[in-house]
Amino acid sequence: MAHAVEASSGVIDIKVSDDLLEAYLIFRPGARLAPPASSDVSELLKEKNVAVDRDAMQRVTEALTECRRGSLPRGGILLSRGQPPGASKDEALVWKIEPEAGTGDTPLPLRRAKAGDLVAVLSPPEAGPPGVDVHGKPILAEPPKKLHLTLGPGLRLAEDRSIHAEADGVVLLSRQTLRLEPLVEVKAETIDAAKGLEAAGVLLVHGDPPAGAFLQAKAGIFVDGKLGTALVTSGGPLVCTQGLEGQDAEHTRIDVRGDLMSSHIFDALLKVQGNLIVAAEIHRVKASVIGELKAAEAVFSGGEIT
């Protein structure tokens, strides 16, 4: 949409785009019988405060000549083009600790910290440079967005906007909350399937847990290996770097309050309060997902996801 301004002669208009970044000279059909003069254009430009450069005036002169010859210029003649404002930079969390290196295709979004470590920095919001419209007035950039981040116990925000750990643990970001959780780290072969394993914070398992294992953790479970038949309850995310391969939905039940991330999932019953993120395959899976299903490239067969 654009708004039009009529010249006194009634045969030319100036149309300015809604974003005020382009202005065009428009010739009406009556211009063929009463061609406007350059003074008409100049008067209209002055009245509507549209600045033009030498190239634009050359285009106007050529259009007026064409009009006097009885041929109306097609479309509008570009008079002026403004400068759009620059992009603003939103407030953002910049990590200073690298994530854990996993052994599979799925990364481990798990960052270890020791007391006193610099965990992250909050980059300040910055407004983009203003632009200029066709009237020579400034156009302000969209205001930057503030990051509404909550820090959990064990993390401290300094005056310089840096975030530090006050204890040893694992730093997790979930739902705009940055948390420092204690870490329980085990090798899969040490897990007794009959007894299971519970962790008050984050549980990190290296290798493939034994079949039938019961795993429970308050803040999240990370399996750097393949998770098979198991009963899993995670108060945070569940990440399986080499996939989740159950035998059937009755013996592989997964209850996750955060996101579930895996390269593939076979034969399992899932309850996911966060997002279900799968890269390659999902077969014979029954899942209830409150968040989003992020599996655009995955192959599906059997099962049901609601």
Side-chain angles (χ1 to χ4, degrees):
M1 298 289 294
H3 58 272
V5 179
E6 292 188 21
S8 57
S9 63
V11 295
I12 54 176
D13 301 333
I14 286 181
K15 289 188 176 182
V16 178
S17 60
D18 284 344
D19 59 9
L20 305 181
L21 289 175
E22 290 184 340
Y24 291 88
L25 179 66
I26 305 297
F27 288 79
R28 288 184 169 182
R32 181 181 286 109
L33 298 177
S38 58
S39 58
D40 294 326
V41 176
S42 297
E43 181 180 347
L44 186 59
L45 290 172
K46 184 177 180 180
E47 178 186 348
K48 299 307 173 182
N49 192 28
V50 175
V52 296
D53 58 17
R54 183 176 299 178
D55 291 339
M57 287 308 301
Q58 179 63 33
R59 290 191 293 270
V60 169
T61 299
E62 293 173 356
L64 292 174
T65 300
E66 186 177 351
C67 186
R68 286 193 292 270
R69 292 173 178 172
S71 177
L72 292 180
R74 294 183 179 180
I77 306 302
L78 179 63
L79 295 172
S80 179
R81 180 173 283 130
Q83 176 67 40
S88 296
K89 293 182 180 180
D90 297 336
E91 185 178 28
L93 181 72
V94 181
W95 288 105
K96 296 300 181 180
I97 298 177
E98 293 297 323
E100 194 86 2
T103 60
D105 296 330
T106 302
L108 276 173
L110 180 146
R111 292 172 166 85
R112 300 174 189 255
K114 293 183 178 181
D117 279 354
L118 172 62
V119 172
V121 173
L122 290 177
S123 66
E126 296 181 11
V132 180
D133 67 18
V134 295
H135 304 298
K137 297 181 179 179
I139 303 176
L140 298 181
E142 288 289 331
K145 296 178 181 179
K146 182 176 176 56
L147 179 64
H148 299 286
L149 183 70
T150 301
L151 297 187
L155 294 171
R156 176 177 55 86
L157 177 63
E159 292 183 359
D160 63 358
R161 301 173 61 84
S162 60
I163 300 173
H164 300 263
E166 296 184 318
D168 295 351
V170 173
V171 183
L172 299 177
L173 176 62
S174 176
R175 300 176 184 176
Q176 299 298 91
T177 298
L178 196 64
R179 308 193 315 273
L180 181 67
E181 299 288 352
L183 174 65
V184 174
E185 186 173 8
V186 300
K187 293 183 178 180
E189 57 265 27
T190 66
I191 298 175
D192 186 340
K195 295 181 179 180
L197 183 61
E198 297 184 26
V202 171
L203 175 61
L204 172 60
V205 180
H206 295 282
D208 305 343
F214 172 71
L215 305 177
Q216 181 173 346
K218 177 182 177 182
I221 298 176
F222 298 81
V223 178
D224 193 10
K226 183 192 301 178
L227 180 63
T229 302
L231 300 178
V232 176
T233 301
S234 174
L238 170 63
V239 178
C240 305
T241 64
Q242 297 182 26
L244 195 168
E245 300 181 9
Q247 290 184 354
D248 56 66
E250 288 300 318
H251 296 89
T252 306
R253 298 187 179 188
I254 311 295
D255 191 343
V256 182
R257 293 192 64 184
D259 295 343
L260 194 164
M261 298 175 56
S262 181
S263 59
H264 59 276
I265 304 177
F266 304 154
D267 304 289
L269 179 63
L270 311 177
K271 292 183 179 179
V272 183
Q273 294 189 28
N275 301 319
L276 178 58
I277 306 169
V278 183
E281 301 176 81
I282 304 178
H283 301 300
R284 301 172 299 279
V285 171
K286 294 182 179 180
S288 171
V289 181
I290 295 179
E292 297 181 31
L293 173 61
K294 298 184 178 182
E297 305 297 325
V299 177
F300 291 79
S301 70
E304 181 181 7
I305 299 177
T306 59

